[in-house]
Amino acid sequence: MTDSIQPANEYSGFLPPRFHNRPDADDVMVKTWTVGDALTDHSVPEVPAALSLFFDLVAPAGTRANSNGFAMLWLDRHPHEEPGWRLSIGHVGSEDDLEMAVAKPLARLVDALPMANFECEDWHMTRPLWRKRAEPVKLVFWGDFAKHARAILGHSDGASFYQPLGAGLRSDNVAAMLPLLEDMLGDPFLRNGMGFEDALRLGIALGRAHLIESWIEAGGSEKEPYFRPMKIWHQAWLANALLDPAVASLAMSGKPPMPALDFANDSTPASRRAALDDLSSWLTSVFFSDEYPALRNAFVAGVQNAVWLDSDLQQYVQPQQRSEILQGLMPYCRWFLAMALYNHLGNLAAGTVRDDQVAFYATMVDALPELAPLGEFATQRDIEQHIIRIDAPRAASAFDTLVLPFCDLLMPRRQFDAARS
C-alpha cells in the first residue's frame, strides 16, 4: 500500500518498494565463524568446495525454517591477523534460532572444514567489524530479505536507479547484493522528500569516498588489501544512498541519467574518483542547484568536509586527533545552528512557527542554555554572539542529536513526484 506521506503520482505501482517488514536492527543477530586454515597471503583464493556447497544449501534451509536472514562469506583483511575465511550468518531472532534455521547445512560444513566461533553480535555491533576488515566474497538472502532483493534486482528499471546494475554488474555479484543490506537494515533514506540531513548525508558519502581513494593511492599496492574493505563497504553505502534520489529523478523530464560508480575489478583510485566527480555534477544539476540554497549548502559542506562530519571516518583517527575533530566540527555546528535559529526566530516574529518546532527548540535550549536569551526580535549578530559562547565539546555532542535535526525541521523539504512506497 502506498505510504500516506508520499505524494500520489502516476509512477505508483511501477517503482521498487521499500523494505516493508523492516526489523529493528537490534533484533538481527549476526554470528561469525572462522572457517578452514589460515591463508598464506592476501590474494583472493578459490572458494573451498565445502563452502560453495554450504551457500547452495543455506538459503533453501533458511526458507524452510520460515527464517528471515542472510549468509556472507568474507576474507579477513585485518593488517595484524593472519588472512583467512570468515562466515557470517544474520537472522531476525536469537542466536539459538539462527543455528536451528540453518542446522543441516551448518552441520555439513562443520564436518568438512575446521570452524571456530569468532563473534556473535547484533547488526549494529557487527557492521563496524565488517567495514574495518571484511572483503565480501558471497552473499545470499532468504525469507523477507530475499523477496526484497528480488524486487530491487529484478525491477525492469533497475539499471536506472540501482548503481551496481547501472554499472553492468550481474545481480548475483556480491557487490550488487551488498547495498541491499543497508537498504533493509540501515536508516531509511529520503522519507517524505529531501531534507537538510539527506543533502548533508549525500555530500558526506561523496566526500568520504574521495578521501578513501586518496588513502588507497597514498598507501600503494602494499596497503591496498587493508583499505579494500573500507572502499567496498563505503561504496555500497553510497550506492544505497543514491537509490532514492535516482528513483526521484525518473519523474523529472529533461534531466540527464545518473552516471554509474566504477565497480570494475581493474578500477583504479583515479577511475573511481572520475566516476565520483560525474556523480557529484549530476547531483548538483538535478537536486542541488541554486534554486534550493539550503540543500545546496548542506551538500557542499558534506562533500568538502567529510573528515570532520562523518562519524564513520572518525573511527579511523588516532585518539590524539579527537580534539582536532572537535575543532573541525565547530564551524559547521555554528553555521548550521545560525541558519536554523535565524529561520526559527523569524518564523516566531511572523507568527508562522509550528508547534513541533517550538517543542524542539525548547529541548535544544535545555541542552544549550546559552541560546535561552534569544527572542523573536534577535538580530543575526545576536544569534552569532550567543552561539559562539557554546564550548566545543558540548557543541560537538549536540551536533548529530540536536543541531542537524533542528535544521531538518526548519529548512524547506523538497518534494518529488516519484518516490518508493
Side-chain angles (χ1 to χ4, degrees):
M1 187 173 70
T2 302
D3 223 324
S4 61
I5 61 172
Q6 301 293 354
N9 64 82
E10 60 185 301
Y11 293 86
S12 292
F14 298 97
L15 296 174
R18 292 191 182 272
F19 187 47
H20 293 301
N21 297 317
R22 174 182 292 268
D24 189 317
D26 292 335
D27 295 331
V28 178
M29 190 58 62
V30 183
K31 187 163 187 177
T32 301
W33 294 264
T34 61
V35 183
D37 299 321
L39 302 173
T40 55
D41 56 40
H42 280 287
S43 59
V44 180
E46 288 292 320
V47 177
L51 275 169
S52 292
L53 179 61
F54 172 83
F55 273 82
D56 289 339
L57 300 175
V58 67
T63 302
R64 285 193 299 271
N66 293 316
S67 163
N68 297 308
F70 60 89
M72 184 175 74
L73 178 66
W74 51 280
L75 288 164
D76 197 337
R77 296 309 189 195
H78 194 290
H80 305 305
E81 301 285 348
E82 288 184 304
W85 291 109
R86 309 286 180 257
L87 172 65
S88 292
I89 300 178
H91 167 84
V92 183
S94 69
E95 179 183 351
D96 289 342
D97 290 341
L98 179 155
E99 295 200 33
M100 285 181 62
V102 296
K104 288 185 178 180
L106 198 57
R108 277 177 175 258
L109 189 59
V110 169
D111 289 341
L113 290 171
M115 292 180 65
N117 288 340
F118 183 85
E119 182 181 81
C120 188
E121 294 284 0
D122 66 29
W123 160 260
H124 286 306
M125 296 297 290
T126 304
R127 198 162 43 164
L129 166 80
W130 286 341
R131 288 177 172 176
K132 284 184 178 179
R133 57 195 287 182
E135 179 180 351
V137 176
K138 289 181 77 72
L139 176 61
V140 297
F141 299 107
W142 56 86
D144 289 340
F145 290 172
K147 291 176 186 175
H148 182 69
R150 286 193 295 269
I152 298 294
L153 296 170
H155 196 280
S156 58
D157 285 326
S160 301
F161 62 76
Y162 194 58
Q163 273 287 334
L165 300 182
L169 294 187
R170 286 169 50 108
S171 60
D172 59 353
N173 187 302
V174 66
M177 308 278 274
L178 211 57
L180 294 172
L181 277 176
E182 195 69 37
D183 190 43
M184 290 186 276
L185 296 174
D187 295 329
F189 203 66
L190 290 204
R191 300 305 301 261
N192 193 25
M194 180 183 286
F196 189 87
E197 281 195 86
D198 296 321
L200 182 68
R201 286 172 65 196
L202 277 170
I204 290 172
L206 278 169
R208 173 175 61 195
H210 269 286
L211 278 171
I212 290 169
E213 297 305 341
S214 67
W215 295 344
I216 291 172
E217 196 166 53
S221 58
E222 181 184 348
K223 298 289 181 65
E224 191 274 338
Y226 310 123
F227 282 118
R228 205 179 297 160
M230 195 193 313
K231 181 206 75 175
I232 290 170
W233 286 98
H234 287 311
Q235 192 176 52
W237 194 97
L238 179 56
N240 174 64
L242 289 164
L243 200 160
D244 285 294
V247 167
S249 73
L250 294 177
M252 298 178 184
S253 61
K255 299 295 183 182
M258 178 177 63
L261 293 166
D262 187 351
F263 288 91
N265 289 331
D266 60 352
S267 66
T268 65
S271 68
R272 293 191 294 268
R273 274 200 301 265
L276 290 169
D277 287 337
D278 289 343
L279 271 171
S280 185
S281 297
W282 179 77
L283 285 166
T284 301
S285 64
V286 176
F287 296 100
F288 304 121
S289 63
D290 292 335
E291 190 179 352
Y292 305 95
L295 298 182
R296 182 184 177 88
N297 286 344
F299 175 71
V300 171
V303 171
Q304 295 180 348
N305 298 279
V307 70
W308 308 121
L309 300 172
D310 182 23
S311 57
D312 259 4
L313 290 183
Q314 291 170 25
Q315 67 179 308
Y316 300 107
V317 303
Q318 300 300 316
Q320 60 268 25
Q321 294 175 289
R322 297 294 177 189
S323 60
E324 189 180 344
I325 292 290
L326 289 181
Q327 293 305 316
L329 273 176
M330 280 306 293
Y332 296 94
C333 183
R334 287 170 177 160
W335 177 31
F336 294 163
L337 186 55
M339 282 195 296
L341 287 172
Y342 189 75
N343 281 8
H344 179 66
L345 297 176
N347 290 343
L348 272 177
T352 57
V353 70
R354 301 197 310 261
D355 290 344
D356 58 339
Q357 294 168 343
V358 172
F360 199 97
Y361 181 62
T363 302
M364 193 157 63
V365 169
D366 287 342
L368 304 172
E370 290 87 348
L371 304 179
L374 294 172
E376 59 190 85
F377 300 114
T379 64
Q380 188 168 349
R381 179 174 173 78
D382 293 333
I383 292 169
E384 291 169 356
Q385 285 181 332
H386 283 80
I387 287 174
I388 207 166
R389 295 171 187 166
I390 303 169
D391 59 81
R394 284 188 306 117
S397 66
F399 187 73
D400 288 330
T401 56
L402 292 172
V403 176
L404 290 182
F406 190 51
C407 287
D408 211 45
L409 207 59
L410 267 295
M411 305 301 174
R413 298 186 72 84
R414 184 175 176 186
Q415 300 299 324
F416 301 115
D417 289 330
R420 290 197 290 164
S421 62

